[in-house]
Amino acid sequence: MPARNAFYAQSGGVTAVINTSAAGVIEAARDHPEAINTVYAGVNGILGALDEQLIDTGRESAESIAALRYTPGGAFGSARYKLKGLDENRAEYERLIEVFRAHDIGYFFYNGGGDSQDTAHKVSQLGEAMGYPITCIGVPKTVDNDLPGTDTCPGFGSVAKYIAVATREAGLDVASMAETSTRVFILETMGRHAGWIAAASALARDHEEAPPHVILLPEVALDEARFLERVRACVERIGYCVVVVSEGLRTADGRFVADQGTRDAFGHAQLGGVAPAIAAMVRERLGYKYHYAIADYLQRAARHIASATDVEQAHALGRAAVEFAVAGHNAVMPTIVRDADAPYRWHIGQVPLADVANREARMPAEYIDADNLFVTEAALRYLRPLIAGEDYPPYRDGLPEHVHLRAERVAPRCPPFRD
Amino acid sequence: MPARNAFYAQSGGVTAVINTSAAGVIEAARDHPEAINTVYAGVNGILGALDEQLIDTGRESAESIAALRYTPGGAFGSARYKLKGLDENRAEYERLIEVFRAHDIGYFFYNGGGDSQDTAHKVSQLGEAMGYPITCIGVPKTVDNDLPGTDTCPGFGSVAKYIAVATREAGLDVASMAETSTRVFILETMGRHAGWIAAASALARDHEEAPPHVILLPEVALDEARFLERVRACVERIGYCVVVVSEGLRTADGRFVADQGTRDAFGHAQLGGVAPAIAAMVRERLGYKYHYAIADYLQRAARHIASATDVEQAHALGRAAVEFAVAGHNAVMPTIVRDADAPYRWHIGQVPLADVANREARMPAEYIDADNLFVTEAALRYLRPLIAGEDYPPYRDGLPEHVHLRAERVAPRCPPFRD
């Protein structure tokens, strides 16, 4: 069978290590010239295929590809763009096949979360049906850690480490000032539906009374009275309280706590910000001085404090996607299989895309404390190895150095598809 | 002259490296047993003297003192507590002298900002007047970089590095998603009166169109129309815009932008948060999707990404305070004197406390761009060396290790002062 080209695309929210997976894919493809000619990367992910905007990664040096390992964000551009169902918008899938055919693309590597695995699955089905069989392999990625069938997802370990480090550092700050300043510090983390990121802050606790003291998860409705009582008791006992809260925290009636009816100067609903809502509660009901931080993109872009374990897994999964494809597998996603907690041992496995698509892995109930205000030792045992190890980027003039790719475009061969 | 004891206290907002200065003070004191017996550290800063809560640092191992270098926050506790003028509350100053006398304290090292240098100055004057001469030396500290008479203040270089790194990393994130997601990203930094921290984000810019694209400083009133036009032009040209804003930004009529009349669910003014106010402006007037981050304490506690230059200077200034005291200087503060920009060369100087007390060093006008929306090359030349070098803390289980001191208290010898 003659070698063919590959298409690689990044999808959804980017992470500190999605480019590390890209490096894994491209480097492994270069190791298999008998099967893969060139990896074309989509400009802005799957939009790059629809718009026939392809970057020829063959024009990048080995050094540049290796440097992707240290570069956060999406080096080729990512997109929040979910292809509809086959019945609703068959034209988009047909367009993908048209572009793939024009560039002799025989492999599709889709680096994303649940939606993206669903898309990769559909493309593999449609290609078959249209007489253009294409090998579709998912590469897992999501800071939310909510993909099923894998021990963890690349991107999560690094954001978990960032949040744990930030909690420990800011906790020391608050502790040292509490007597005359801030009593309650609130750190808002990402996580609309799953509390994995907020839960990881618990790793910061190195003794019984160390921060964080309360973790508010989206899996359980906020019991305001119980929460405030916990904060009050903590401040009375040790002088301060550190609260970590997931952006997706909800009230008992299912509303986001962040949507507290707050109005801005123009009278419009002020969106976002569960931290200020929690802070207002603390001030109104307890009267404590507070501060809050909203880490937002800083947490998922923080390559400077990435987990070495996460980086290693991101790279290995990128490589494995190519190895699986070359070995004849199709419509699968490589996964992390945990062999042991401590010391952490793992190997690469795989799941069918059909089993991953559109399913969400929530935190198990046994990871949440009985009072719903912290996580359990079982959660810590699961989380601990994921943040292990540092993998510092190179620095110049005090700042991390990131690669700037040549990003040369492949000449289009198809008519335009969208305006 | 027989050796006497020393009193060391941390004051005001803590930093990533105030404990590094503490290590410098304590280590230098141990090098001078002929002059200094023991360094007593105040529990919660100056309150520790008023309340006679003193920690005997002589009970700490050399390893523990050295590990202070890696530990953010205030290891002995700090306080936002400004002693009033001598005429208003002479009793507090007399109490200080009483406690100093009871513990044979001949040296007072006060590690803080402008207010603290003023206090150290007053104590030196009063001691003289009360027949209890005491050597008072200031040790500079403030993330705001607003102490006069020194090239920079310990704490600033590290927060500057944190903000520059965060801007570069988050900028890559936003750039890669802008086509289908966030167009405008806003990062709120500390800085009520001086824009040094926000200005430091400019160091992230490694090419003409790189983030940050706009910096809003407290030194200049917000020109909303000009600001929005700059954002619009930036998004139209490159697809996205990164804005860094100082918490102290003000409107033309002198109000804080953060106080936009926003009301929470209870109808109370929502305090803090210039970022959401700027975000609301962007949404209302330009209609762009936005995200914002509020780094808050994360920035000043971020020892994990401290500037090696800052760490070195913090330690050197702590040592110098002791060396000056032992050499017979009094009522002075050691300073950083810049000899050259690139390569950065500096040495330790000194200024009289009288010249530092209650004066604020603002950003010079020539550091702010003509359009008031960015900083100049002169500012970058000043800032660049201050973030140079990394000084990573040791890690265990994926998290930075911080020292937990024994913190043994000295037995009180005076009657209680406050309830």
Side-chain angles (χ1 to χ4, degrees):
Chain A
M1 208 168 68
R4 303 182 64 197
N5 296 316
F7 176 68
Y8 167 81
Q10 302 180 322
S11 179
V14 293
T15 78
V17 300
I18 186 171
N19 290 332
T20 309
S21 289
V25 166
I26 295 166
E27 289 168 357
R30 289 181 179 188
D31 289 344
H32 288 284
E34 79 287 358
I36 300 176
N37 280 327
T38 301
V39 177
Y40 296 139
V43 174
N44 296 325
I46 198 73
L47 296 180
L50 294 175
D51 297 336
E52 206 187 0
Q53 292 279 324
L54 308 176
I55 289 168
D56 182 352
T57 70
R59 305 285 296 167
E60 310 292 342
S61 70
E63 292 69 31
S64 286
I65 298 303
L68 284 173
R69 176 188 180 103
Y70 299 111
T71 304
F76 307 105
S78 185
R80 288 205 183 283
Y81 188 86
K82 182 169 163 58
L83 270 67
K84 295 203 182 69
L86 276 173
D87 297 339
E88 293 164 86
N89 197 342
R90 194 177 176 90
E92 283 189 337
Y93 290 91
E94 290 174 347
R95 170 63 174 187
L96 288 184
I97 300 297
E98 178 189 18
V99 170
F100 288 169
R101 196 188 299 270
H103 296 278
D104 191 30
I105 288 167
Y107 304 91
F108 174 32
F109 299 105
Y110 206 20
N111 203 169
D115 283 357
S116 311
Q117 306 309 332
D118 180 50
T119 299
H121 184 229
K122 290 208 179 84
V123 169
S124 106
Q125 291 177 308
L126 187 72
E128 197 74 46
M130 290 177 64
Y132 188 83
I134 179 162
T135 298
C136 295
I137 311 281
V139 185
K141 171 244 64 166
T142 163
V143 293
D144 291 327
N145 204 37
D146 59 359
L147 278 173
T150 181
D151 183 52
T152 184
C153 304
F156 171 67
S158 292
V159 73
K161 187 183 185 92
Y162 173 93
I163 291 295
V165 170
T167 301
R168 180 171 283 185
E169 290 183 333
L172 287 170
D173 185 307
V174 178
S176 60
M177 302 286 301
E179 180 66 22
T180 56
S181 182
T182 296
R183 293 284 186 180
V184 179
F185 176 67
I186 301 150
L187 171 58
E188 174 176 328
T189 72
M190 288 183 156
R192 283 257 136 196
H193 306 294
W196 293 110
I197 298 175
S201 68
L203 295 168
R205 198 166 69 158
D206 57 355
H207 61 88
E208 185 74 17
E209 298 283 24
H213 306 104
V214 180
I215 301 176
L216 300 174
L217 303 162
E219 282 83 355
V220 284
L222 175 65
D223 179 335
E224 194 174 322
R226 184 188 287 179
F227 161 66
L228 289 170
E229 174 49 28
R230 177 68 62 92
V231 172
R232 192 196 56 73
C234 184
V235 171
E236 293 197 352
R237 200 173 61 251
I238 62 168
Y240 72 107
C241 183
V242 172
V243 178
V244 178
V245 56
S246 197
E247 61 178 336
L249 180 68
R250 288 170 186 268
T251 58
D253 57 3
R255 288 177 306 119
F256 282 118
V257 171
D259 181 15
Q260 284 276 310
T262 308
R263 295 289 176 272
D264 65 20
F266 310 100
H268 299 95
Q270 186 81 25
L271 297 177
V274 65
I278 294 292
M281 252 175 236
V282 165
R283 184 188 55 196
E284 295 303 319
R285 309 297 162 83
L286 302 176
Y288 294 134
K289 178 165 158 52
Y290 64 82
H291 256 243
Y292 59 82
I294 301 178
D296 197 60
Y297 292 156
L298 271 48
Q299 68 200 286
R300 74 179 194 195
R303 181 61 185 83
H304 74 274
I305 190 62
S307 153
T309 304
D310 191 34
V311 172
E312 186 187 349
Q313 292 182 339
H315 196 261
L317 289 164
R319 285 204 75 96
V322 171
E323 300 290 352
F324 284 151
V326 169
H329 297 271
N330 193 2
V332 296
M333 178 185 87
T335 62
I336 302 294
V337 180
R338 182 182 296 223
D339 300 315
D341 289 328
Y344 186 44
R345 285 185 295 108
W346 54 275
H347 68 272
I348 298 282
Q350 62 170 259
V351 285
L353 289 177
D355 293 355
V356 184
N358 289 320
R359 279 180 50 214
E360 244 178 35
R362 299 283 181 99
M363 287 233 300
E366 65 265 28
Y367 281 10
I368 303 174
D369 235 8
D371 59 13
N372 287 343
L373 295 174
F374 212 76
V375 297
T376 61
E377 181 53 40
L380 291 169
R381 199 160 46 237
Y382 164 74
L383 291 164
R384 202 168 280 123
L386 305 182
I387 69 162
E390 294 66 57
D391 188 79
Y392 298 120
Y395 278 70
R396 179 152 61 179
D397 292 338
L399 284 159
E401 272 200 285
H402 303 130
V403 66
H404 294 288
L405 298 174
R406 299 161 60 110
E408 289 188 23
R409 306 296 168 96
V410 179
R413 295 175 179 175
C414 302
F417 174 65
R418 309 186 306 161
D419 290 329
Chain B
M1 209 170 66
R4 302 183 65 196
N5 296 315
F7 176 68
Y8 167 80
Q10 303 181 320
S11 178
V14 294
T15 77
V17 301
I18 185 171
N19 290 331
T20 309
S21 289
V25 166
I26 296 165
E27 290 167 357
R30 291 182 178 187
D31 290 345
H32 287 285
E34 80 288 359
I36 300 177
N37 281 325
T38 301
V39 177
Y40 296 139
V43 174
N44 297 323
I46 198 75
L47 295 181
L50 293 175
D51 297 337
E52 207 188 0
Q53 294 279 325
L54 308 175
I55 289 169
D56 182 352
T57 70
R59 305 286 295 168
E60 310 292 342
S61 69
E63 292 68 32
S64 286
I65 298 303
L68 284 174
R69 177 189 179 103
Y70 299 111
T71 304
F76 307 104
S78 185
R80 287 204 185 282
Y81 189 86
K82 183 168 164 58
L83 271 67
K84 298 202 180 70
L86 277 174
D87 297 338
E88 293 165 85
N89 198 342
R90 194 175 175 88
E92 284 189 337
Y93 291 90
E94 290 174 346
R95 168 65 174 184
L96 289 183
I97 300 297
E98 178 188 19
V99 171
F100 289 169
R101 194 188 301 266
H103 295 277
D104 191 32
I105 288 167
Y107 304 92
F108 174 32
F109 299 105
Y110 206 19
N111 202 170
D115 282 357
S116 311
Q117 307 309 331
D118 180 49
T119 300
H121 184 229
K122 290 209 180 84
V123 169
S124 105
Q125 291 177 307
L126 188 70
E128 197 75 46
M130 290 177 64
Y132 187 82
I134 180 163
T135 299
C136 296
I137 312 281
V139 185
K141 171 244 65 169
T142 163
V143 294
D144 290 328
N145 204 37
D146 59 359
L147 278 173
T150 180
D151 183 51
T152 184
C153 305
F156 171 67
S158 292
V159 73
K161 186 183 184 90
Y162 173 92
I163 290 295
V165 170
T167 301
R168 180 172 283 185
E169 290 183 333
L172 285 170
D173 185 308
V174 178
S176 59
M177 302 285 301
E179 179 67 22
T180 57
S181 183
T182 296
R183 293 286 187 180
V184 179
F185 176 67
I186 301 149
L187 172 58
E188 174 176 327
T189 72
M190 287 183 156
R192 282 256 137 197
H193 306 293
W196 292 109
I197 298 176
S201 68
L203 295 169
R205 197 166 71 159
D206 58 354
H207 61 88
E208 184 74 19
E209 297 283 25
H213 306 103
V214 180
I215 301 176
L216 300 175
L217 303 162
E219 282 83 356
V220 285
L222 175 66
D223 180 335
E224 193 174 323
R226 186 189 285 179
F227 161 65
L228 290 170
E229 174 51 27
R230 177 67 62 91
V231 172
R232 193 196 57 72
C234 184
V235 172
E236 293 197 351
R237 197 171 67 251
I238 62 169
Y240 72 107
C241 184
V242 172
V243 178
V244 178
V245 57
S246 197
E247 60 177 339
L249 181 69
R250 289 171 186 266
T251 58
D253 57 5
R255 287 178 306 118
F256 281 118
V257 171
D259 181 15
Q260 283 280 306
T262 307
R263 294 291 176 271
D264 64 22
F266 310 98
H268 300 96
Q270 186 81 25
L271 298 178
V274 64
I278 294 293
M281 251 175 235
V282 166
R283 183 189 55 196
E284 294 303 318
R285 309 298 161 81
L286 302 175
Y288 293 134
K289 180 166 157 50
Y290 64 82
H291 255 243
Y292 60 81
I294 301 179
D296 196 62
Y297 291 156
L298 271 48
Q299 68 200 287
R300 75 179 192 193
R303 181 60 186 82
H304 75 275
I305 189 64
S307 153
T309 303
D310 191 34
V311 172
E312 186 186 349
Q313 292 182 338
H315 196 263
L317 289 165
R319 283 203 76 95
V322 172
E323 300 290 351
F324 284 151
V326 168
H329 298 270
N330 192 3
V332 297
M333 179 185 86
T335 62
I336 301 295
V337 181
R338 182 181 296 222
D339 300 315
D341 290 328
Y344 186 45
R345 284 186 295 107
W346 55 275
H347 68 272
I348 298 282
Q350 63 169 259
V351 285
L353 288 178
D355 293 356
V356 184
N358 290 319
R359 280 180 50 216
E360 244 178 35
R362 299 284 183 97
M363 287 231 301
E366 65 265 28
Y367 282 9
I368 302 173
D369 236 8
D371 59 13
N372 287 344
L373 296 173
F374 211 76
V375 297
T376 61
E377 180 53 36
L380 291 169
R381 197 159 50 235
Y382 164 74
L383 292 164
R384 201 169 281 122
L386 306 182
I387 69 163
E390 294 67 55
D391 187 78
Y392 298 120
Y395 278 70
R396 179 153 61 177
D397 292 339
L399 284 158
E401 273 199 284
H402 302 130
V403 67
H404 294 288
L405 298 175
R406 300 161 61 108
E408 289 188 24
R409 307 295 168 95
V410 178
R413 297 176 179 175
C414 302
F417 175 64
R418 310 187 307 161
D419 293 328

